[in-house]
Amino acid sequence: SGEAHLHLGQKIALFFQQTGLPDWAVLMLISALPAVELRGGVPVGNWMGISPYATLAICVVGNMVPLVPLFLALRSQAVKSLLKPLLARAEKKLAGLPTGQSRWLALTLFVGVPAPGTGGWTGAIIGYLLGMGFGEAMSAIVSGVILAGVIMTILTLAGKVGALIALGALVLFGVGAIATAKD
């Protein structure tokens, strides 16, 4: 069947479409999911035929919606207990992040580079674990989510060769930004 060749985001989209939700709402829900986020939402928006600009906007909003309550909820002992395994994994990732002023840039790039284990959900947890204030953490996270959205849009529209070129440029930019950041 044709469904066997669909990726996870497309399968989730088909599931939500069966509920009668409009495509924009399906895309927003997909982008809000912790394992999929905007990284999975952007290609799905393209697959659904939604314009790249609308897809980017919907996916950024969808990705950010659960992150504000998550960041605030992490102050609750009950939530900390519930998320203990996820918090432990995030703490391991903290070892590589700088301290001081450059942590904003580091968190932005961590969220913004579409790689396994990165993204807004993990970024919110890391921002909390770093003791960042709400405004500082959310501005870094939303900047990273927008960066990831732009990258994913370019990668989705560029095809394989364009994706490889974009990935090379991104790695050079990220390494250069981290190397020149000051504490």
Side-chain angles (χ1 to χ4, degrees):
S1 85
E3 265 191 62
H5 299 297
L6 299 178
H7 66 70
L8 178 62
Q10 292 167 320
K11 289 177 183 178
I12 295 170
L14 288 174
F15 172 80
F16 283 133
Q17 285 177 323
Q18 292 172 356
T19 67
L21 288 172
D23 285 350
W24 68 265
V26 169
L27 193 55
M28 190 171 280
L29 281 170
I30 289 169
S31 298
L33 294 172
V36 182
E37 297 194 50
L38 170 141
R39 291 150 172 76
V42 170
V44 169
N46 185 58
W47 174 73
M48 295 169 97
I50 300 173
S51 80
Y53 295 115
T55 293
L56 178 61
I58 292 166
C59 289
V60 166
V61 171
N63 202 164
M64 288 304 299
V65 164
L67 302 183
V68 171
L70 171 64
F71 187 81
L72 296 173
L74 286 169
R75 295 185 171 123
S76 157
Q77 195 57 47
V79 172
K80 284 185 215 173
S81 296
L82 182 67
L83 297 177
K84 192 172 183 170
L86 189 58
L87 290 171
R89 193 182 99 202
E91 282 190 275
K92 289 179 188 171
K93 293 180 183 282
L94 280 178
L97 291 180
T99 57
Q101 292 177 340
S102 61
R103 69 185 181 169
W104 186 93
L105 177 61
L107 184 57
T108 298
L109 292 174
F110 177 85
V111 172
V113 175
T118 67
W121 282 78
T122 308
I125 292 168
I126 287 175
Y128 168 76
L129 292 173
L130 285 172
M132 294 173 84
F134 179 81
E136 181 185 15
M138 284 299 124
S139 66
I141 293 165
V142 76
S143 297
V145 167
I146 291 168
L147 175 61
V150 169
I151 291 167
M152 288 306 302
T153 299
I154 291 168
L155 295 178
T156 299
L157 297 176
K160 290 179 184 175
V161 173
L164 290 173
I165 293 168
L167 181 61
L170 175 67
V171 167
L172 290 174
F173 170 77
V175 169
I178 291 172
T180 59
K182 297 197 181 344
D183 280 329

